[in-house]
Amino acid sequence: FLRCMRNRVFHIITHFDIGGAERIAINISKSSSAKWEYHIVEVVRGTSDYSSAMIDELRTYNIKFHRSPIRNNKLGIILFPIWFLGIYLKFRPQIIHTHTEVPDLAIYLFHIVQKFTLQKIKYIRTIHNIKLWTDWGKIGSVVEKFFMRHHANIAISRAVQESYKTHYNESPTIVFNGIEMTSQRKFEGLVEDKINILFAGRLEYQKGVDELVAVVSHFANDPMLVFHIVGNGSQKFKVEQLSNFSNVFYYDTIYNLSQYLFSFDYVFMPSNFEGLATLSIESSFGKTPVIINSCGGLEETLPADWPLKVKNNSVQSYISIFNNLPSQDIYRKLADIGYEYAYKNFTIKKMQQNYEYIYTQKIQEITVL
């Protein structure tokens, strides 16, 4: 009986694979509230080692999931309305919650195909990025009108909110991403008695790959600084040139990287822009200070007077920071300040409660036809 009384929320993600949007969908779905039943649906079938680990995690937390039969992105989007209909009719979710672009377009097509029979669907859409529809501009403008008409939009940061308002003349509600505090384990790749610095992210312009390469190259073979670079992407070739340096280690992926963040002395984030930088928050929870560029979506994760940040992604300013790293006493104070700020603003419980309040309000709304 209690099971029948629960409201169902379907999170639509691109795939079961590494990604900030996917992680947020899982973190919301880990809610212990008895009022909600969560399902996670992928649009495109994830096939990496990370996919298997993510599915194991979902099973551990008894989160229901539905796998896509299609591995190609475009085909997965186009055929999504067909195979998803059977799942929808079986479970009849009250809320469909999409997580940016690929899921957004797939759900838009599903709505168009089924709009005369599925008028009671309520939509929530989390905007995870500052820049939307970079490859599908005309399609994106149509999809955005759909989500605005359904009053579905949620921004993950002030930077995302401001960017969306600039482009679409709407100011979405903000719900900061909540990050799960994980038990910490020692990272086996550390170099003892050195300062171990981590960079982790997609190797794309967004993450400041050029600045990363310039800074690391400046400290090539430095006797004290060791750089651990984790990531893959279209600009991987720029990072590969660093492999000749004795103080640089490269990894394609490290599953559950957040549980190793305490091991590192610093996390380096020279991003050009962010939606909301999950890694920075996770690092603060791990009491590892973050060296950042002062860009929207990244500077919001730390206090306004955070000393380990630079303006305009200045390579020389980064070099100055690395040449003048804080003493142990100041380091410990910074670690505590970062932790306290993250705990105040970015706990998973706070995010879950905020979204579940929005779900409740959405269910009570008059249906948009």
Side-chain angles (χ1 to χ4, degrees):
F1 173 75
L2 289 175
R3 185 180 183 84
C4 294
M5 295 295 291
R6 300 174 79 187
N7 292 300
R8 290 193 178 98
V9 177
F10 271 34
H11 287 278
I12 315 300
I13 63 173
T14 301
H15 49 196
F16 292 119
D17 209 332
I18 190 168
E22 287 79 0
R23 174 49 49 192
I24 294 308
I26 291 174
N27 284 351
I28 296 170
S29 300
K30 287 180 177 180
S31 170
S32 59
S33 172
K35 296 180 180 180
W36 304 96
E37 177 184 302
Y38 291 101
H39 296 234
I40 300 184
V41 185
E42 65 176 354
V43 177
V44 182
R45 193 174 187 89
T47 58
S48 72
D49 292 340
Y50 196 95
S51 304
S52 300
M54 182 179 287
I55 289 166
D56 288 342
E57 181 180 1
L58 296 177
R59 288 184 174 130
T60 298
Y61 285 88
N62 294 315
I63 299 170
K64 296 173 178 59
F65 61 91
H66 307 277
R67 303 222 62 190
S68 170
I70 302 158
R71 301 182 182 219
N72 177 272
N73 264 27
K74 290 183 179 178
L75 198 58
I77 294 169
I78 293 169
L79 297 180
F80 179 84
I82 299 172
W83 70 264
F84 179 64
L85 178 61
I87 298 170
Y88 173 85
L89 292 175
K90 179 178 179 180
F91 293 99
R92 297 283 183 176
Q94 283 75 32
I95 300 283
I96 290 180
H97 186 159
T98 76
H99 291 270
T100 305
E101 294 192 331
V102 168
D104 297 344
L105 180 53
I107 285 299
Y108 171 74
L109 296 176
F110 174 73
H111 179 83
I112 294 301
V113 170
Q114 308 299 335
K115 66 179 179 179
F116 298 111
T117 58
L118 303 176
Q119 293 178 341
K120 293 183 180 180
I121 298 178
K122 305 290 187 174
Y123 295 101
I124 296 291
R125 183 277 195 110
T126 297
I127 308 169
H128 290 269
N129 302 320
I130 288 178
K131 296 185 178 181
L132 299 175
W133 309 107
T134 53
D135 296 323
W136 303 334
K138 292 182 179 179
I139 294 173
S141 64
V142 175
V143 176
E144 292 306 328
K145 290 176 183 176
F146 164 74
F147 284 112
M148 285 190 283
R149 190 168 67 250
H150 284 81
H151 307 289
N153 288 323
I154 304 292
I156 63 171
S157 68
R158 289 186 295 275
V160 168
Q161 182 191 57
E162 290 166 6
S163 176
Y164 196 84
K165 185 176 181 180
T166 298
H167 289 92
Y168 301 105
N169 199 32
E170 179 185 271
S171 186
T173 298
I174 297 175
V175 175
F176 287 125
N177 287 345
I179 306 302
E180 187 173 33
M181 289 183 281
T182 59
S183 57
Q184 294 293 303
R185 301 168 57 188
K186 183 179 179 180
F187 182 64
E188 296 301 327
L190 294 178
V191 180
E192 298 294 335
D193 300 320
K194 306 287 185 181
I195 298 171
N196 288 265
I197 301 155
L198 172 70
F199 170 96
R202 296 187 309 278
L203 300 181
E204 307 289 351
Y205 169 79
Q206 175 186 346
K207 300 297 182 179
V209 172
D210 288 341
E211 289 76 14
L212 168 70
V213 171
V215 171
V216 174
S217 297
H218 178 85
F219 291 103
N221 305 312
D222 187 278
M224 285 305 300
L225 302 181
V226 177
F227 294 91
H228 302 263
I229 301 173
V230 184
N232 211 328
S234 65
Q235 296 190 3
K236 179 181 177 180
F237 69 96
K238 295 181 179 180
V239 173
E240 287 177 332
Q241 64 183 292
L242 303 175
S243 61
N244 293 326
F245 302 149
S246 62
N247 62 334
V248 177
F249 298 89
Y250 173 75
Y251 320 80
D252 271 325
T253 59
I254 297 175
Y255 180 68
N256 264 351
L257 178 63
S258 59
Q259 68 184 340
Y260 300 112
L261 293 174
F262 184 79
S263 295
F264 296 93
D265 297 293
Y266 295 93
V267 170
F268 180 33
M269 298 189 69
S271 301
N272 287 298
F273 60 91
E274 292 281 353
L276 187 72
T278 300
L279 179 62
S280 174
I281 300 166
E282 291 173 331
S283 301
S284 291
F285 278 135
K287 291 200 171 185
T288 298
V290 190
I291 298 168
I292 67 167
N293 179 37
S294 217
C295 69
L298 179 50
E299 64 180 359
E300 290 178 56
T301 64
L302 292 158
D305 58 353
W306 187 248
L308 301 179
K309 67 179 176 182
V310 310
K311 294 181 178 179
N312 302 317
N313 231 358
S314 166
V315 170
Q316 288 304 313
S317 295
Y318 288 129
I319 291 171
S320 177
I321 288 175
F322 282 119
N323 278 330
N324 299 279
L325 291 172
S327 66
Q328 283 299 310
D329 286 345
I330 296 175
Y331 178 94
R332 285 191 290 269
K333 288 179 181 177
L334 288 176
D336 288 340
I337 290 169
Y339 176 87
E340 290 165 7
Y341 189 84
Y343 188 82
K344 179 181 177 182
N345 294 284
F346 305 110
T347 62
I348 187 171
K349 186 67 174 178
K350 185 172 183 178
M351 177 186 69
Q352 290 168 344
Q353 290 172 342
N354 286 339
Y355 271 114
E356 287 172 349
Y357 174 79
I358 291 170
Y359 296 154
T360 300
Q361 297 298 110
K362 180 64 71 169
I363 288 173
Q364 293 171 354
E365 287 179 0
I366 298 173
T367 303
V368 177
L369 300 181

